Structures are given as C-alpha cells and as structure tokens.
Amino acid sequence: MTIHLADAGGSGTLAPCPHDYQVNCGNCRLNGICLPLALESGDIQQLDDIIQRSKPLQKSQHLYREGDGFQSVYAVRSGTLKAYKTTDDGREQVTGFYFPGEIVGMDGISNNSHASSAKALETAAVCEIPFTSLEKLSSLMPNLQRHFFQLMSREITEDQQLITLLSKNSADERVAALMLSISTRNARRKLSSTQFRLPMSRVDIGNYLGLTVETVSRVFSRMQKMDILRVDNKEIQILDVHGLQSMANLGS
Amino acid sequence: MTIHLADAGGSGTLAPCPHDYQVNCGNCRLNGICLPLALESGDIQQLDDIIQRSKPLQKSQHLYREGDGFQSVYAVRSGTLKAYKTTDDGREQVTGFYFPGEIVGMDGISNNSHASSAKALETAAVCEIPFTSLEKLSSLMPNLQRHFFQLMSREITEDQQLITLLSKNSADERVAALMLSISTRNARRKLSSTQFRLPMSRVDIGNYLGLTVETVSRVFSRMQKMDILRVDNKEIQILDVHGLQSMANLGS
DNA sequence: GTACAGCCTTGACGCGAATCAAGGACCAGC
DNA sequence: GCTGGTCCTTGATTCGCGTCAAGGCTGTAC
C-alpha cells in the first residue's frame, strides 16, 4: 500500500499541488453554476489558466484565517466550508456555509486581509483564484467582470436576508429557513432536495442562526414531532415541504 | 419670485436635473472618501462625465423601491438615506443607513433588480452612477475596478458585522455600537465625533438593530443615567467614549 | 394662541430562548 | 471488548426583551 498524499494534516495554508487532479473549468460539472457561468469556451480556457488547484483540505483544516493577507478567492469544488468570525470573548459567529459551486473569500477584498476565517466541515476541494489575475482578466472580459460583480452583490443580498432572519424571526423560523436554503442549493446541484446529510454540527447551526445548541436541538425535535422532518443525527429528510415553508414564514 | 424647481414633490424616481448644481467630482469635498478615491485627476474627469446629478430628494422620498429595475448605484452627496426591506407581514427591516460619501444600491446588481428600497431620512442629494457606464469605465481603469470591488466587499464585511451584532449582542451593546459607528463616520467627514443629530427615528434604529422602539428608548435612558450619553431627542452628545466602547463590547 | 398627529418615554406583565444541569448516543483509539 | 471525548437531547429555571398600555413632548397647521 502506497501513501500518495505527502504533507497531510498540516494546519496552515494550502500547499501547491503537483498534479491537477484532471479537473478544469471546461469539464467541471459545476461550471453551470460557478464562476465560468456565462463565459464562452475560449474565455473559460483563459479563466482556467489562472486557477490553481491544490490537494483537498481535511476536515477542520483552515483555508484561511481572519487577518491573513488576502490573495485569492476560492470556488468550492467538493465538500463544505464554513466562514466564521471569533468575537473577543471567544464566541464564534458563523457568517456562511459554502457548498460546491459557491465562492468564498470575497470579504477579504476590502482591506486586503480576510475579515473572517474559513474552515472545512468535511474533506473539501477548492479552486484557488488569485485575485490580481482575476482583476486583470475581468478588465479584458466584460462578462466575467459583470458576473463577479453579481456574485459579490448576491453575497450582499444573502447577508441581508440573514440579517432579517436574525432580527425578525423565531427559532423555528430560522431553522426552517436554513433547511429550505440547503434544500434549494442541493437542487441547484442536481442532488435530492428532500434528503441530505448536514455537513455542519448543531453548534455551527446555532452559531449561524444566533441560537444555542439546545434550542436548535429542540426545534429539530419539534419539527420531527410535527412530521415536517425526519431527523436522524445529521441525516435529514423533508417530509412536508409546504409545512416547512409555512414554518419558515419568510418575508417578501 | 421665480420658481426654479419644476416637478417638485414627485414620489417616483429621480427626474433629470437641467443644471448641475455646480458640483463635480473634482471639486467635491467628499472625493477623498467617495468613489473617486485613488483616481488621478484625468480619470476623475472621466468618472465625472458618466455621473448624473439631479435635484435633491425630499424627506421620506424614495430613491428606488424593492423590485425596481436596477440601473444605477448612487453616491450620497448630502443628507442621509436608509435602505430597508418589507417583510410579508408588513414589518420593516432596515439594512443600512447611508451617509454622505457612501454608496447605496449595490444589492441590485445580482438580479438586475433592487433587493431593498432606499428612502431619504431628510433632504438628501445623490450622484447617480449608471452601472453599465461604470462597468465600461472599470474595464479601462484598473484602479476604479479595484476600488469598486473594495466598496462591495466592505458592504459585505459591514453586513457581517451587523449579523454578529444581531446574533450575539444585547440591546445595550447594539445601540452603543451604532452610536460609535455614526461617530466614526462623522469623523471621516471631519464632523464632530462626539456631538451630532441623529437623522433617523427611534423606530428606524429599532428596525435596524432588531429591537423595539421601547427598548431603544430604554437603552438611551439607561446610557443617560450612566453619564455615557446626553440625549435630547435626536441630539446626541457622547460624554464618555470609553464607557460607550466598553458598553458596545464588540468582538474582534 | 389651540388642536392634532407623530414621536418618544416609562411602567407592568408575559413569553421565548438562554442558561444550567444531567444523561444518552456515537466514534476513535486502545 | 472498554474508555474517553465529542456531539446531541431533554428538563428545570432564569432573564432579557417584546407586548400592551398610558401619558408626555414636539412640531405643524390653523
């Protein structure tokens, strides 16, 4: 038996990867929802040229940490990441979960340093996109520039939805909204929208939704009792989508 | 007596303004903190050429409404705006306050339609920046492209700070943090950081911070009793900055 | 001046989620 | 197998803020 992965388990930044894992934007099955969206094949090739692929992150390994110098944004290729900030008193605010096809790291652009940390919730692979290269390419490719503006704008509107959720909605509504969000994002990737495994812990969910673990757990129990969800540890099955939607009770 | 301002008081979108109010980016005293930041004078002229200035908005007049088609972003030149979303049940979530030199409307880029409404809290003037023109100019001027990326990224990090505030901090801490934020933004514009008039109502503050009017009012009373602030209706005087900071108890 | 509307403040009370506490389930390592 | 650690669940209690209610203040129109 041969060990292929040298330098495994390091907790620092990514090491460059000697081989490319035979993946490129042209043949990646996420290219319809990821950055290459709206690019023509010639342009995709150019984008592909600036992207660096490295060995996967292990569970709980950091992609970057709060305060690290900002160099790149990252497209998630597989697995899930969480972005979070740590407050003075050591508590954690999760600012987002990132699934395959989604871009993480855009909060580092404003100060040239990352405003949050990003950590793998399970084994995860990312495509590193050096930002200065992306900027140059964006100047040449209006579609890319526009798409990246749109991605940043989407991050803004999603954050604003979370703000509303935290400010106006009950614990039940918050958890229901998160389940629906995960369901929708799964559907985008042609996965089941009614049955999935949560990549994050109850603590992470609580830290994202502004709730304690106990409350999250109680909400799951309640939903199970109402036959809206079947919950088996991290396995979730949505039994009643409409029930879940009316429980989420989302504004506009 | 001659009336110069025709078409006053309309509640719709901005009417083009026949004259330019003798303002341009080159001589605007906000150009050190606004979009022209980091541009050379020749470039500033080009930026100035795409900007449309129109007559001021009256108090409570809308700049745009949720769902309106997205055409432009806006730089605040004077006065204050609030951005907000209305939930199904008619409640209002304020997503931000915008002071002179700040850019509002970036949440419309992702869907080509505004995700929130923007309304003047007092008489306010804005510079309208048509987005397609801004995109073209950005392709030609790397500094402008970068700066606009940074502005969007800052909006993201600020939203994330609000998320943390809503999720982790008490009513006292939230109000203290807002007062400090306003104080800082005043300082940026060379105004007093310790004495100012709040442009927004208690209701707006509550809708921004996820609190009720009553709670906001109680917090102000408490701060006054502790000699941290002097509150006279909308006039605020910060008596003890350090007290206010420790009350805000902000993470990282 | 008076009247009215909108905004702000203060008090009494109740509810929902945090906190505190205990125990069970699952997994990795031995 | 057993052990220890982490994660999850459930119950009892507490507390901060929302809700309800009443009244005062400010500004504007007349």
Side-chain angles (χ1 to χ4, degrees), chain A:
Chain A
M1 177 182 169
T2 315
I3 309 285
H4 282 285
L5 290 179
D7 185 29
S11 64
T13 43
L14 288 177
C17 184
H19 61 298
D20 68 2
Y21 289 95
Q22 287 83 35
V23 181
N24 61 59
C25 289
N27 70 20
C28 178
R29 59 185 188 79
L30 294 168
N31 66 14
I33 62 174
C34 190
L35 199 55
L37 177 68
L39 294 191
E40 291 159 22
S41 60
D43 290 350
I44 290 184
Q45 180 57 47
Q46 284 194 66
L47 174 64
D48 195 71
D49 287 344
I50 69 168
I51 288 182
Q52 295 165 13
R53 296 182 180 78
S54 43
K55 69 181 174 52
L57 288 101
Q58 297 304 308
K59 179 176 174 167
S60 89
Q61 199 181 346
H62 277 87
L63 180 57
Y64 54 80
R65 287 170 199 269
E66 205 172 330
D68 281 358
F70 169 75
Q71 304 290 341
S72 306
V73 297
Y74 304 86
V76 181
R77 198 159 75 244
S78 67
T80 319
L81 305 181
K82 72 167 174 182
Y84 67 98
K85 294 165 70 89
T86 308
T87 58
D88 282 347
D89 44 352
R91 290 186 304 173
E92 190 175 300
Q93 175 64 46
V94 174
T95 52
F97 299 112
Y98 293 86
F99 290 91
E102 299 174 353
I103 308 287
V104 62
M106 295 185 290
D107 62 0
I109 298 171
S110 69
N111 277 329
N112 247 328
S113 104
H114 284 287
S116 59
S117 305
K119 184 191 239 190
L121 292 173
E122 56 196 329
T123 307
V126 298
C127 300
E128 178 173 358
I129 308 163
F131 189 64
T132 48
S133 310
L134 182 63
E135 277 182 304
K136 282 178 201 144
L137 211 54
S138 293
S139 292
L140 303 174
M141 294 161 46
N143 282 342
L144 180 61
Q145 188 195 49
R146 157 154 302 207
H147 186 50
F148 198 70
F149 277 137
Q150 287 176 337
L151 284 174
M152 293 192 74
S153 176
R154 189 192 301 168
E155 182 101 10
I156 292 171
T157 58
E158 283 170 359
D159 283 349
Q160 289 178 351
Q161 276 172 33
L162 181 56
I163 287 168
T164 306
L165 198 67
L166 292 175
S167 154
K168 297 272 189 292
N169 293 84
S170 69
D172 285 359
E173 292 165 340
R174 296 183 207 180
V175 176
L178 177 60
M179 293 303 107
L180 287 172
S181 166
I182 294 175
S183 166
T184 306
R185 287 145 94 183
N186 276 352
R188 250 168 68 96
R189 290 184 288 137
K190 323 280 189 208
L191 300 177
S192 169
S193 67
T194 57
Q195 206 160 5
F196 45 86
R197 182 178 175 79
L198 294 177
M200 72 292 281
S201 70
R202 301 286 193 271
V203 180
D204 287 333
I205 294 177
N207 281 336
Y208 178 64
L209 297 176
L211 303 170
T212 58
V213 208
E214 294 95 325
T215 300
V216 173
S217 182
R218 276 185 254 267
V219 173
F220 276 136
S221 302
R222 221 172 293 154
M223 286 174 161
Q224 182 142 247
K225 206 160 289 168
M226 295 170 71
D227 289 323
I228 287 177
L229 289 187
R230 231 179 50 73
V231 183
D232 176 20
N233 208 349
K234 304 205 162 173
E235 291 296 336
I236 300 287
Q237 187 178 0
I238 300 178
L239 301 174
D240 178 1
V241 188
H242 296 101
L244 191 59
Q245 283 165 342
S246 71
M247 192 166 188
N249 188 29
L250 289 176
S252 61

Side-chain angles (χ1 to χ4, degrees), chain A residues 106-111 131 149 152-153 156, chain B residues 32-37 47 73-75 98 101-104 106-107 109 129 134 143-159 188:
Chain A
M106 295 185 290
D107 62 0
I109 298 171
S110 69
N111 277 329
F131 189 64
F149 277 137
M152 293 192 74
S153 176
I156 292 171
Chain B
I33 62 173
C34 191
L35 199 55
L37 176 69
L47 174 62
V73 296
Y74 304 86
Y98 294 86
E102 299 175 352
I103 309 286
V104 60
M106 296 186 290
D107 61 1
I109 299 171
I129 308 163
L134 182 63
N143 282 342
L144 180 62
Q145 189 194 50
R146 158 154 302 207
H147 187 49
F148 197 71
F149 277 137
Q150 287 176 336
L151 283 175
M152 293 193 74
S153 176
R154 188 192 302 167
E155 181 100 9
I156 293 171
T157 59
E158 283 171 359
D159 283 348
R188 250 168 68 98

Side-chain angles (χ1 to χ4, degrees), chain B residues 180-240:
Chain B
L180 287 172
S181 165
I182 293 176
S183 166
T184 306
R185 287 145 93 183
N186 276 352
R188 250 168 68 98
R189 291 183 288 139
K190 322 282 189 207
L191 300 178
S192 169
S193 67
T194 56
Q195 204 160 6
F196 44 86
R197 181 178 175 79
L198 294 177
M200 72 292 279
S201 69
R202 303 284 193 272
V203 180
D204 288 332
I205 294 177
N207 282 337
Y208 179 65
L209 296 176
L211 302 169
T212 58
V213 207
E214 295 93 326
T215 301
V216 173
S217 182
R218 276 186 255 267
V219 173
F220 276 136
S221 302
R222 223 173 290 152
M223 287 174 161
Q224 182 142 246
K225 206 161 287 168
M226 296 170 72
D227 288 323
I228 287 177
L229 290 187
R230 227 178 53 72
V231 183
D232 176 20
N233 207 350
K234 303 206 162 170
E235 292 295 334
I236 300 286
Q237 186 179 1
I238 301 178
L239 301 173
D240 177 2

Side-chain angles (χ1 to χ4, degrees), chain B residues 24-251:
Chain B
N24 63 59
C25 288
N27 69 18
C28 179
R29 57 184 190 81
L30 294 167
N31 68 12
I33 62 173
C34 191
L35 199 55
L37 176 69
L39 294 190
E40 293 159 21
S41 61
D43 289 350
I44 290 184
Q45 179 57 50
Q46 284 194 65
L47 174 62
D48 195 70
D49 288 343
I50 69 168
I51 288 182
Q52 295 165 13
R53 295 179 182 81
S54 43
K55 69 182 173 56
L57 288 99
Q58 297 305 307
K59 179 174 175 171
S60 90
Q61 200 180 346
H62 277 88
L63 181 57
Y64 53 80
R65 287 168 198 270
E66 203 173 331
D68 280 358
F70 169 75
Q71 304 290 341
S72 306
V73 296
Y74 304 86
V76 181
R77 198 160 77 246
S78 66
T80 320
L81 304 181
K82 72 169 174 182
Y84 67 98
K85 294 165 69 93
T86 308
T87 58
D88 281 346
D89 44 355
R91 290 186 304 174
E92 190 176 301
Q93 175 64 46
V94 173
T95 52
F97 298 111
Y98 294 86
F99 290 91
E102 299 175 352
I103 309 286
V104 60
M106 296 186 290
D107 61 1
I109 299 171
S110 69
N111 278 329
N112 247 328
S113 101
H114 285 287
S116 58
S117 305
K119 185 192 238 190
L121 293 173
E122 54 195 331
T123 307
V126 299
C127 298
E128 178 172 356
I129 308 163
F131 189 65
T132 47
S133 310
L134 182 63
E135 278 182 303
K136 282 176 201 145
L137 211 53
S138 294
S139 292
L140 303 173
M141 293 162 46
N143 282 342
L144 180 62
Q145 189 194 50
R146 158 154 302 207
H147 187 49
F148 197 71
F149 277 137
Q150 287 176 336
L151 283 175
M152 293 193 74
S153 176
R154 188 192 302 167
E155 181 100 9
I156 293 171
T157 59
E158 283 171 359
D159 283 348
Q160 289 178 352
Q161 277 172 32
L162 181 57
I163 287 168
T164 306
L165 198 67
L166 291 174
S167 153
K168 296 275 189 291
N169 293 86
S170 68
D172 285 0
E173 292 165 341
R174 295 183 207 181
V175 176
L178 177 60
M179 292 304 107
L180 287 172
S181 165
I182 293 176
S183 166
T184 306
R185 287 145 93 183
N186 276 352
R188 250 168 68 98
R189 291 183 288 139
K190 322 282 189 207
L191 300 178
S192 169
S193 67
T194 56
Q195 204 160 6
F196 44 86
R197 181 178 175 79
L198 294 177
M200 72 292 279
S201 69
R202 303 284 193 272
V203 180
D204 288 332
I205 294 177
N207 282 337
Y208 179 65
L209 296 176
L211 302 169
T212 58
V213 207
E214 295 93 326
T215 301
V216 173
S217 182
R218 276 186 255 267
V219 173
F220 276 136
S221 302
R222 223 173 290 152
M223 287 174 161
Q224 182 142 246
K225 206 161 287 168
M226 296 170 72
D227 288 323
I228 287 177
L229 290 187
R230 227 178 53 72
V231 183
D232 176 20
N233 207 350
K234 303 206 162 170
E235 292 295 334
I236 300 286
Q237 186 179 1
I238 301 178
L239 301 173
D240 177 2
V241 187
H242 296 102
L244 191 59
Q245 283 166 343
S246 73
M247 192 168 189
N249 188 30
L250 289 175

